[in-house]
Amino acid sequence: MSKKKEMSQEEIEKIKERYSHAELPPVKNWLSYIYFNLLKIFCFTLFGTGAILIALFIEPIVFLCGRKKFKYRTRKIISATFTFFINLMSITGGSKYKFHGKEKLQNAKGKIIVANHPSYIDVIYLISCIKNADCIIRGTIAKSIFAGVARPLYILNTVGNQEMLNLSKESLESGANIIIFPEGTRTPRHGTNQFKRGAARIALNASCGIIPVYIGGSDKYGLGKYDPPLSYLHEGHYVYDIHILDEIKIDEYKNMEAQIAARRLTERIHKEIADTAMAVDGRIV
């Protein structure tokens, strides 16, 4: 396997500029800022502890109760725990959230869910609405403290392209919904990321619909890419304003040449999310 090309200093500076938070106002209330940082540490310590407990105790018990429904039952438990987690953050003041069109996720079956990715907890909000949520996750997660939960339940992005298509199709046909962030990384604070075609290829291969989601609200400083671990919004708290859009049917793309279909479907996904971002927050995604 060839080594990744090293980035030039100019490329590094461009990335820093896109994820820069220099425009944020200075901290006005240091007591509040310290409280929210401590709350953030507590919540993610709780989250990590919960992942370990699920892997050590819940998953073995569910597995013994029946292999056939192991994934569905475990995902349902995880969805419930994520609902508890986001409500805990809301009660303690760390973040507030609102779903628009939540029933589209709750009623989804065998669909691909695509969303922009402003923070590293976006997936928690999405899974809280989906009882049978599958995900395509980074291979590094399978080597972290979340490995016990991630490996048996989700698809690693380190598998080959064809295997990913096969695993995704199998998962969708079983009734699961696959969450994909087509940018492949977190959304920059300034500018945009190109949407990758993986979600479109999977949808075309499995002949399933796509539900776009726009995750808006406040700035996500402290949860974004390259943000310092011990950081939080300088004013206020996190707000997650989540808009679930109408399903994109793939019928019109089925008779196109595969590469053209994947490109046009990806452009459609991006447009749906970008138009909503501009209409709701005046933001370019």
Side-chain angles (χ1 to χ4, degrees), residues 81-99:
T81 59
F82 282 8
T83 299
F84 166 79
F85 185 76
I86 65 173
N87 285 332
L88 175 66
M89 290 192 293
S90 181
I91 291 167
T92 53
S95 68
K96 303 294 181 183
Y97 68 89
K98 185 175 182 180
F99 287 98

Side-chain angles (χ1 to χ4, degrees):
M1 187 179 290
S2 60
K3 292 183 178 179
K4 288 184 179 180
K5 180 183 174 183
E6 290 188 7
M7 289 188 294
S8 66
Q9 188 59 38
E10 184 180 354
E11 288 172 323
I12 293 171
E13 290 302 318
K14 283 183 179 179
I15 289 174
K16 286 182 178 179
E17 183 179 340
R18 292 170 70 224
Y19 287 93
S20 170
H21 45 78
E23 78 285 358
L24 289 179
V27 177
K28 291 185 177 179
N29 186 334
W30 278 98
L31 282 176
S32 175
Y33 185 74
I34 291 169
Y35 165 75
F36 283 130
N37 266 293
L38 291 174
L39 178 62
K40 179 180 164 184
I41 293 168
F42 167 75
C43 285
F44 286 101
T45 301
L46 179 66
F47 187 83
T49 303
I52 293 170
L53 292 176
I54 287 173
L56 289 177
F57 300 106
I58 303 299
E59 283 186 353
I61 293 171
V62 175
F63 185 79
L64 290 172
C65 290
R67 297 184 184 184
K68 191 174 181 180
K69 293 190 175 181
F70 165 73
K71 285 188 177 181
Y72 172 73
R73 287 169 176 164
T74 308
R75 288 170 181 163
K76 191 174 180 181
I77 291 168
I78 289 173
S79 177
T81 59
F82 282 8
T83 299
F84 166 79
F85 185 76
I86 65 173
N87 285 332
L88 175 66
M89 290 192 293
S90 181
I91 291 167
T92 53
S95 68
K96 303 294 181 183
Y97 68 89
K98 185 175 182 180
F99 287 98
H100 305 265
K102 186 176 183 179
E103 69 283 350
K104 296 173 189 175
L105 292 184
Q106 292 175 322
N107 299 330
K109 187 175 182 181
K111 308 297 181 185
I112 293 176
I113 316 299
V114 294
N116 60 311
H117 196 14
S119 78
Y120 57 75
I121 65 172
D122 302 326
V123 71
I124 296 175
Y125 285 89
L126 296 180
I127 290 179
S128 73
C129 289
I130 306 169
K131 291 181 180 179
N132 192 7
D134 199 348
C135 304
I136 294 177
I137 61 173
R138 295 195 316 271
T140 52
I141 293 178
K143 298 177 182 178
S144 69
I145 62 169
F146 305 112
V149 173
R151 277 184 177 277
L153 298 176
Y154 306 122
I155 301 168
L156 300 180
N157 67 358
T158 49
V159 301
N161 289 337
Q162 189 57 50
E163 186 178 357
M164 183 177 291
L165 287 174
N166 294 340
L167 290 171
S168 299
K169 185 176 182 180
E170 182 182 332
S171 180
L172 290 161
E173 287 177 348
S174 74
N177 301 288
I178 300 180
I179 298 170
I180 299 175
F181 297 107
E183 292 171 90
T185 187
R186 267 165 271 163
T187 308
R189 188 169 276 105
H190 311 285
T192 63
N193 285 327
Q194 182 177 2
F195 275 38
K196 298 180 181 179
R197 300 179 190 177
R201 290 193 181 105
I202 291 170
L204 291 165
N205 182 65
S207 297
C208 73
I210 296 174
I211 300 177
V213 177
Y214 169 60
I215 301 173
S218 68
D219 190 288
K220 304 298 188 292
Y221 175 61
L223 300 174
K225 195 163 187 177
Y226 305 117
D227 292 345
L230 292 178
S231 59
Y232 194 88
L233 278 180
H234 290 181
E235 288 184 313
H237 52 248
Y238 297 126
V239 175
Y240 282 80
D241 193 38
I242 302 170
H243 295 257
I244 297 92
L245 312 180
D246 291 335
E247 179 182 340
I248 298 174
K249 307 286 187 180
I250 64 163
D251 295 346
E252 64 182 280
Y253 304 94
K254 283 183 177 180
N255 296 325
M256 297 180 185
E257 193 275 325
Q259 290 187 352
I260 294 173
R263 174 170 56 81
R264 291 189 179 175
L265 184 52
T266 302
E267 289 170 353
R268 171 81 181 278
I269 293 167
H270 192 180
K271 184 178 186 306
E272 294 283 347
I273 294 174
D275 286 353
T276 305
M278 182 56 68
V280 172
D281 290 326
R283 215 173 265 169
I284 298 174
V285 171

